[in-house]
Amino acid sequence: MVKLSEYELEREANIARNKLLLQQLELKAAVDDLGVSKAKAKSTAKPIQPGKREKRKREPEADLPRRQSARLRKAVIDPNESPQKRRKREREEELQRRKEEEERLKREEEARKASRPRHNKLDLIALVENGPEDIESLSKSMKDIPKDIKKRVPDFDDFVYEDNKEEERLVAELRKKMSGLKVHARAKVTRSRVYCAAYHPEVTKDLIFFGDKEGALGIWDARAPPEEDEDAKQNEGEDREGGRYWRIQLHWPANAKSSISSIKVDPIDPHNVYTSSYDTTVRALSFTTGVSREIFHSDNLVNSIDLVPSGHEMWLSDTSGWVTHIDLRESNQKHKSFQLSEQKIGSVSVNPTFPNFLATASNSRTVKVWDVRKLNTALEDFTDSEPQDSTIIDVNLEVITEFAQSDKGKGCLRAEWQHDKSATAAFWDPRGRQLVSTSYDDTLRLWNFNNSKLFKEDAPFPSSRPFSRIKHNCQTGKWVTLLKARWTQNPDVYPYFTIGNMNHSVDIYSGKGDHIASLSDPRRITAVQAVTCSHPSVVERVATANASGRCVLWAPKDL
């Protein structure tokens, strides 16, 4: 028997005393009473992994001179050096120092240029992640989309009936369709958090655009056959990625300063897509020419854009409380801006039936409806009294407020509603008669302006009180994109809107405020689906995205 040392004997005695103490405290019995399982619970959810895993290429290290200490830089001087050689040596050392300083300044200038937004035209082949390989497949997918997609313009009185039973029937029919939606496809379309999304109107495919935190545009053909590769074969069945996707670095630099805040598909050219970004620019990407061009830039971060139904005019809002009008047929240097709030305007929405009316939601806790014709009158009065540049005209909040309170400006501000906390968004429905707003006060509000005469007269609306309030958790925090209720743009179905839920589901509500459905799949969806959008032509289609860039297509099970 091996003789134990004093240290080992003391250690064994300590272990024995501890065991005895635990037995006296009956901790084992207490743990057994709690029913805690020794086996670690396994999550049934499995995040979808990219089928095509690409190794990021390391950038080659620049051949830069190494830093040296003063002792090493100091050359050994010959004590017998002649004055002529000394002067020559000093000249050479001075020239070397100047050369190194010029190279350093050049590198710093190149780094500064690389961190600035790009204002020039950009070729699509230089923007796509995998270059020519992706360009070929993307062009093939976009080629199938006809250039003359005709979209029916909704009427103000669509889906309005004297008999409530007809509306109840339509809502019940919508509920039946939406309740049957399941997870049809999943894919990691972007590398970082998704900020916005837009559904393409083409009916033969589900083509969805996602804008992420680092200025990249993800394009997902959700029902296209996926590429076959070794990684994809390992994830067979429902856990493999669905469809095909492409990533385009539209805005620069590729970091949080270039987050894409809004995406709009051109209503008159389905091969053209507009994006706004925190890099202070708005760009138009044409899949016909393969060129991305800048159409606007300013000094403020652009939060939201919206297009007039004709497709020739755009409105945008920014973080300083300004809304700007751009005529897309003119130079990108020509625009007019109105300061409508002291704080950030998170969204601007153009009424599709009466395009002269804008809805804005701001951090000043208000949702407002403005008459553009009156704003233009204020602009004319301002330009008559103040000399202005003919291409850029800015009217500040003080002038707008003073004009709105005058007799001439009566009706400039048609409606206003104060929320309890910041209003994050407010959007018109496709008919132009309803508004839905989201706010940090955890309430969704619905307005119904049921008389078209309200938009034809010059007086403010007689009432701006919402007819419905829906409790909804909007406390997204720092790491989740703001929840925004988005109307379907489909004019052939009873109006409804979608919004993400902090419980990892997607809520669907009718235009009357009725809850239609909650889409969820706890086994496969374990993150907040903060960004939502629905197909503008097909009823049973919803797309969602989360903070990791993973996107989901919800469709009928038997699709």
Side-chain angles (χ1 to χ4, degrees):
M1 182 175 178
V2 180
K3 187 176 180 180
L4 299 176
S5 66
E6 291 185 4
Y7 170 76
E8 290 172 330
L9 289 172
E10 182 65 25
R11 180 173 174 272
E12 292 293 332
N14 286 336
I15 292 173
R17 282 195 297 271
N18 290 337
K19 284 184 178 179
L20 179 62
L21 179 62
L22 291 174
Q23 289 175 359
Q24 290 173 352
L25 294 174
E26 298 183 348
L27 290 180
K28 184 177 182 302
V31 172
D32 293 339
D33 290 342
L34 289 173
V36 179
S37 174
K38 292 182 180 179
K40 188 177 179 181
K42 293 183 179 180
S43 174
T44 55
K46 182 181 178 182
I48 191 74
Q49 298 298 326
K52 190 176 181 181
R53 299 182 182 180
E54 302 159 2
K55 293 183 178 179
R56 291 194 177 185
K57 296 180 181 179
R58 267 189 165 184
E59 295 183 1
E61 294 183 3
D63 188 14
L64 302 176
R66 292 178 176 272
R67 293 187 63 185
Q68 293 181 332
S69 66
R71 179 179 62 82
L72 293 174
R73 288 200 308 268
K74 188 176 181 180
V76 179
I77 300 173
D78 185 1
N80 300 321
E81 183 180 32
S82 65
Q84 184 179 2
K85 287 184 177 180
R86 179 175 58 79
R87 287 193 294 270
K88 181 181 178 182
R89 176 179 56 78
E90 289 176 348
R91 282 197 301 270
E92 289 176 351
E93 289 177 353
E94 181 63 24
L95 288 173
Q96 182 63 23
R97 281 195 297 270
R98 288 182 181 179
K99 184 179 179 181
E100 290 177 358
E101 182 65 16
E102 287 175 0
E103 289 177 354
R104 184 184 66 82
L105 294 173
K106 184 179 179 181
R107 290 194 301 271
E108 289 180 356
E109 181 60 25
E110 288 175 352
R112 280 194 293 270
K113 286 182 179 179
S115 65
R116 295 172 187 161
R118 298 176 291 192
H119 301 292
N120 55 317
K121 287 186 178 181
L122 302 170
D123 193 351
L124 192 60
I125 196 169
L127 304 177
V128 175
E129 190 172 67
N130 292 331
E133 181 184 343
D134 274 357
I135 283 291
E136 184 179 354
S137 58
L138 177 58
S139 300
K140 185 178 179 181
S141 181
M142 297 300 295
K143 186 179 178 181
D144 299 334
I145 299 174
K147 294 184 179 180
D148 56 344
I149 296 178
K150 294 182 180 180
K151 183 180 178 182
R152 184 178 74 81
V153 179
D155 187 74
F156 186 84
D157 293 321
D158 280 354
F159 300 103
V160 177
Y161 306 96
E162 294 182 1
D163 185 5
N164 290 333
K165 290 184 179 180
E166 181 62 21
E167 285 192 66
E168 291 173 1
R169 183 188 67 80
L170 291 173
V171 170
E173 184 180 330
L174 182 63
R175 181 177 285 112
K176 182 179 179 181
K177 290 181 177 180
M178 290 303 182
S179 298
L181 299 187
K182 304 295 180 185
V183 175
H184 183 78
R186 295 184 296 161
K188 186 170 172 56
V189 181
T190 64
R191 293 195 183 277
S192 58
R193 186 204 305 186
V194 175
Y195 271 43
C196 56
Y199 220 124
H200 198 279
E202 170 60 16
V203 296
T204 61
K205 58 177 65 183
D206 290 282
L207 194 65
I208 312 142
F209 300 88
F210 298 95
D212 80 352
K213 182 180 178 179
E214 297 182 349
L217 179 70
I219 305 173
W220 188 28
D221 192 348
R223 289 195 294 131
E227 292 180 306
E228 293 295 334
D229 54 58
E230 294 301 322
D231 291 324
K233 290 177 182 177
Q234 294 176 6
N235 297 323
E236 294 294 339
E238 60 184 15
D239 286 329
R240 71 178 297 178
E241 282 195 320
R244 298 188 66 182
Y245 57 83
W246 304 265
R247 298 177 183 137
I248 304 176
Q249 191 64 51
L250 272 187
H251 296 270
W252 193 260
N255 56 34
K257 293 182 179 180
S258 301
S259 305
I260 296 180
S261 56
S262 189
I263 304 172
K264 292 291 178 183
V265 180
D266 193 331
I268 58 176
D269 183 2
H271 288 255
N272 198 33
V273 177
Y274 296 100
T275 57
S276 64
S277 169
Y278 288 174
D279 68 358
T280 71
T281 68
V282 178
R283 301 190 72 90
L285 173 63
S286 173
F287 293 100
T288 305
T289 62
V291 172
S292 169
R293 61 185 177 89
E294 181 183 275
I295 61 172
F296 175 80
H297 75 271
S298 72
D299 297 328
N300 301 321
L301 306 185
V302 182
N303 293 311
S304 174
I305 58 175
D306 201 9
L307 294 164
V308 173
S310 65
H312 299 309
E313 299 172 73
M314 176 184 289
W315 285 90
L316 56 94
S317 66
D318 62 40
T319 54
S320 296
W322 292 77
V323 296
T324 301
H325 174 267
I326 306 169
D327 191 328
L328 299 173
R329 296 164 292 188
E330 300 203 7
S331 166
N332 63 347
Q333 298 298 324
K334 189 171 183 179
H335 59 266
K336 52 188 179 183
S337 300
F338 307 90
Q339 188 180 16
L340 303 182
S341 175
E342 293 180 346
Q343 300 182 42
K344 165 187 169 182
I345 295 180
S347 74
V348 61
S349 179
V350 179
N351 188 302
T353 311
F354 299 97
N356 288 319
F357 291 87
L358 302 178
T360 60
S362 72
N363 281 10
S364 60
R365 305 185 178 187
T366 55
V367 167
K368 298 180 179 180
V369 178
W370 300 88
D371 189 336
V372 174
R373 295 166 298 185
K374 292 288 185 177
L375 290 176
N376 287 330
T377 303
L379 182 144
E380 292 169 3
D381 292 349
F382 179 67
T383 51
D384 287 342
S385 60
E386 296 285 340
Q388 291 284 320
D389 187 339
S390 60
T391 58
I392 301 174
I393 303 174
D394 297 335
V395 186
N396 60 35
L397 182 60
E398 184 180 351
V399 174
I400 296 292
T401 303
E402 184 179 347
F403 175 78
Q405 293 173 352
S406 66
D407 292 336
K408 191 175 183 180
K410 187 177 181 182
C412 179
L413 179 60
R414 289 299 184 94
E416 177 181 9
W417 182 260
Q418 187 82 16
H419 292 61
D420 296 329
K421 292 184 180 179
S422 297
T424 52
F427 299 107
W428 292 104
D429 79 322
R431 303 169 300 172
R433 68 183 291 136
Q434 284 189 288
L435 269 175
V436 62
S437 76
T438 48
S439 170
Y440 258 118
D441 62 9
D442 294 337
T443 306
L444 310 180
R445 291 173 175 83
L446 280 164
W447 287 264
N448 187 18
F449 303 106
N450 53 16
N451 191 343
S452 60
K453 291 182 180 178
L454 297 175
F455 298 94
K456 297 175 182 178
E457 298 173 350
D458 291 335
F461 297 158
S463 174
S464 53
R465 182 176 294 277
F467 78 89
S468 178
R469 301 187 188 199
I470 305 166
K471 281 295 178 184
H472 191 86
N473 183 6
C474 296
Q475 304 302 314
T476 54
K478 184 178 180 180
W479 307 109
V480 177
T481 304
L482 294 177
L483 303 183
K484 297 181 179 181
R486 303 306 301 250
W487 291 100
T488 177
Q489 297 303 306
N490 190 342
D492 300 319
V493 66
Y494 192 86
Y496 68 89
F497 61 86
T498 58
I499 185 170
N501 192 303
M502 295 300 289
N503 295 327
H504 308 168
S505 62
V506 184
D507 289 330
I508 303 176
Y509 291 92
S510 73
K512 295 184 70 175
D514 301 319
H515 186 259
I516 299 295
S518 284
L519 309 180
S520 64
D521 188 341
R523 196 180 66 80
R524 289 190 285 176
I525 308 299
T526 58
V528 177
Q529 303 299 298
V531 178
T532 68
C533 62
S534 52
H535 201 298
S537 306
V538 181
V539 179
E540 297 168 288
R541 295 287 192 284
V542 175
T544 61
N546 66 17
S548 64
R550 290 180 170 84
C551 305
V552 180
L553 173 67
W554 304 82
K557 188 176 182 179
D558 57 348
L559 183 64

